Amino acid sequence: MMNQKLPNAQTVLILGIVSIVGTCCCTGLIGIICGLIGLNKYKSDKLLYDSNPSEYSDFNNLSTGRILCIIGLALGSLQLVYTIFILATGGVDAYMEQIEQLKNMGK
């Protein structure tokens, strides 16, 4: 019997990757949003897999995607808390100064 693929396993994996890369390159919000969407899709596929494990072949991709979503969610949350802290303590000027320092780091 040919095993079928879980409907959202690849999507969860991609969302996990995007959540980590998005957090590192853009803002924490991208990591949080993609991480939450990925974990939601994981939950529905995990229920499907648990109902009949022998029917599906790509549970490893689903599990890896879940781990990446959790990492992206954690990193995104940390970055968002840090941004709020900088804005609360130093204001917008301090935040913009931080961004300028990051831009000039590679030069």
Side-chain angles (χ1 to χ4, degrees):
M1 180 180 157
M2 182 75 172
N3 288 353
Q4 59 188 45
K5 294 185 179 281
L6 290 161
N8 294 317
Q10 190 170 6
T11 305
V12 172
L13 189 61
I14 291 169
L15 283 167
I17 293 168
V18 169
S19 72
I20 293 174
V21 173
T23 296
C24 294
C25 297
C26 299
T27 67
L29 285 177
I30 291 176
I32 292 170
I33 292 168
C34 289
L36 288 174
I37 293 170
L39 288 175
N40 191 29
K41 290 193 173 291
Y42 166 83
K43 187 176 161 186
S44 64
D45 267 16
K46 177 76 165 100
L47 290 172
L48 195 61
Y49 177 79
D50 286 343
S51 68
N52 195 356
S54 62
E55 194 174 318
Y56 300 102
S57 63
D58 59 346
F59 185 71
N60 287 339
N61 282 350
L62 188 68
S63 297
T64 303
R66 175 180 175 250
I67 292 168
L68 293 175
C69 285
I70 291 170
I71 292 169
L73 187 61
L75 290 175
S77 299
L78 286 173
Q79 186 174 7
L80 187 64
V81 167
Y82 177 72
T83 302
I84 291 170
F85 173 76
I86 292 295
L87 288 172
T89 57
V92 176
D93 292 336
Y95 179 70
M96 295 309 286
E97 186 178 320
Q98 283 266 336
I99 291 176
E100 280 301 315
Q101 287 176 353
L102 288 173
K103 281 185 193 175
N104 295 329
M105 195 179 286
K107 293 182 181 177

